[in-house]
């Protein structure tokens, strides 16, 4: 089954920490018994799947340049998944020289073919000013189109716009609303930011217990910043529960009681 990751915009409470694009991930497997060979009769989907095999090194040696070539051949035949992945490879310089303008062209092609995650990535190119003039209004427009189609990362990005007032009037209520939509899809960064809203009383009554609950959800998914914030709540005397477990970057279990002891 094919899976991919789109551009994520990590928003902290007071300072925007913007991370670069996450590379595509494919869980699409080729037949392991033999190396697939293309013929003139292969469909765009078959060409694309062979590209995935080369990208992953699945039944063939990993070769990003061959993957790129096959994605392009498929994309030129209007295969939307190939158009999207071609954009990611151009944007990140995988198997080809990095070229933000060509990434934009590929994403636009995918978007025209109904790919809403491509719309999210177009928004991020405008947000970061990659290959285009930075434009928050255009970024918001593209994010919103994706968010309205339940693309979780785009919903998170819209929340970040409202929380920080990027191109829109700052509105913590709307930030909370969009973060919640993304959190309902399991996005741990959205859960983290909801916790931050509760911790600081932005758009919601200040509530350290609820902040902890949301931080815990994010921490349970491996979000290190959420674990750090739980530790901070304990050390500042905001919460106290010795049975809660948080995890360090070394995945070593520490109870909150351990943290309290270390702080003394």
């Amino acid at each position: 089954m094919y899976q991919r990751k789109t551009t994520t915009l990590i928003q902290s409470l007071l300072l925007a920490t913007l991370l670069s694009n996450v590379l595509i991930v494919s869980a699409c497997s080729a037949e392991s018994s033999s190396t697939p060979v293309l013929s003139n009769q292969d469909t765009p989907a078959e060409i694309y799947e062979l590209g995935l095999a080369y990208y992953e090194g699945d039944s063939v040696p990993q070769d990003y340049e061959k993957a790129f070539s096959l994605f392009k051949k498929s994309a030129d035949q209007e295969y939307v998944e190939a158009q999207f992945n071609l954009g990611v490879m151009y944007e990140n310089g995988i198997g080809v020289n990095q070229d933000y303008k060509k990434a934009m062209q590929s994403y636009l092609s995918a978007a025209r073919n109904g790919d809403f995650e491509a719309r999210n990535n177009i928004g991020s190119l405008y947000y970061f000013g990659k290959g285009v003039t930075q434009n928050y209004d255009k970024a918001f427009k593209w994010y919103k189109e994706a968010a309205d189609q339940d693309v979780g990362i785009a919903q998170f990005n819209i929340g970040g716009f409202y929380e920080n007032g990027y191109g829109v009037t700052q509105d913590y209520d709307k930030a909370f609303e969009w973060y919640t939509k993304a959190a309902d899809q399991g996005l741990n960064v959205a859960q983290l930011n909801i916790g931050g809203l509760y911790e600081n009383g932005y758009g919601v009554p200040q509530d350290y217990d609820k902040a902890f609950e949301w931080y815990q959800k994010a921490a349970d998914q491996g979000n290190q910043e959420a674990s750090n914030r739980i530790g901070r709540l304990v050390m500042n005397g905001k919460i106290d529960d010795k049975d809660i477990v948080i995890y360090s970057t070394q995945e070593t279990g520490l109870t909150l009681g351990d943290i309290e002891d270390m702080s003394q």
Side-chain angles (χ1 to χ4, degrees):
M1 190 69 182
Y2 166 74
Q3 180 183 3
R4 58 187 172 180
K5 296 183 180 179
T6 49
T7 307
T8 306
L9 197 63
I10 304 295
Q11 302 285 351
S12 67
L13 255 300
L14 302 177
L15 178 66
T17 305
L18 307 175
L19 297 188
S20 299
N21 284 41
V22 184
L23 305 188
I24 54 173
V25 175
S26 166
C28 178
S29 61
E31 293 294 332
S32 59
S33 59
S34 62
T35 299
V37 178
L38 286 180
S39 72
N40 291 333
Q41 285 73 45
D42 281 299
T43 66
E46 290 169 332
I47 296 169
Y48 168 72
E49 289 184 8
L50 181 56
L52 287 178
Y54 276 112
Y55 186 91
E56 290 291 321
D58 187 354
S59 80
V60 293
Q62 188 175 56
D63 190 324
Y64 291 138
E65 291 182 0
K66 285 185 179 179
F68 174 85
S69 177
L70 289 162
F71 285 155
K72 189 174 189 309
K73 185 175 182 178
S74 178
D76 287 344
Q77 298 180 61
E78 297 297 314
Y79 194 70
V80 64
E81 303 292 358
Q83 291 170 333
F84 178 89
N85 279 9
L86 199 66
V88 175
M89 294 186 85
Y90 272 126
E91 184 172 359
N92 294 280
I94 307 171
V96 66
N97 291 333
Q98 190 174 55
D99 190 323
Y100 294 132
K101 290 184 178 180
K102 288 184 178 179
M104 174 67 85
Q105 292 170 3
S106 296
Y107 288 145
L108 285 169
S109 295
R112 283 192 295 268
N113 283 324
D115 192 310
F116 289 99
E117 290 179 346
R119 285 169 165 79
N120 176 80
N121 284 18
I122 292 168
S124 290
L125 290 178
Y126 277 115
Y127 182 90
F128 290 105
K130 292 180 176 180
V132 293
T133 302
Q134 187 179 51
N135 189 314
Y136 287 153
D137 290 337
K138 289 184 178 180
F140 183 88
K141 169 187 174 293
W142 285 102
Y143 282 145
K144 184 67 161 53
E145 288 184 11
D148 285 341
Q149 296 298 318
D150 292 327
V151 176
I153 292 173
Q155 293 171 336
F156 171 76
N157 287 341
I158 289 291
F161 265 58
Y162 278 119
E163 182 179 355
N164 293 279
Y166 294 147
V168 295
T169 302
Q170 189 176 49
D171 189 325
Y172 292 125
D173 290 337
K174 288 184 177 178
F176 181 85
E177 175 187 347
W178 283 103
Y179 284 151
T180 300
K181 290 180 179 181
D184 287 344
Q185 298 197 50
L187 227 62
N188 67 78
V189 285
Q191 295 165 346
L192 170 74
N193 283 13
I194 292 172
L197 294 177
Y198 275 115
E199 181 178 357
N200 292 278
Y202 293 159
V204 290
Q206 189 174 49
D207 189 322
Y208 296 122
D209 289 333
K210 286 187 177 179
F212 163 73
E213 290 174 7
W214 283 101
Y215 288 153
Q216 186 69 68
K217 290 180 181 181
D220 286 345
Q221 294 193 66
N223 188 301
Q224 182 59 38
E225 174 60 22
S227 293
N228 295 342
R229 292 190 187 184
I230 292 172
R232 184 181 66 198
L233 288 174
V234 171
M235 288 187 287
N236 290 338
K238 304 301 183 183
I239 60 173
D240 183 14
D241 190 327
K242 298 182 184 303
D243 296 325
I244 298 167
V245 175
I246 64 172
Y247 297 92
S248 71
T249 52
Q250 291 77 33
E251 298 183 356
T252 302
L254 292 174
T255 66
L256 297 185
D258 292 333
I259 295 177
E260 287 178 318
D261 291 340
M262 288 187 293
S263 67
Q264 294 174 356

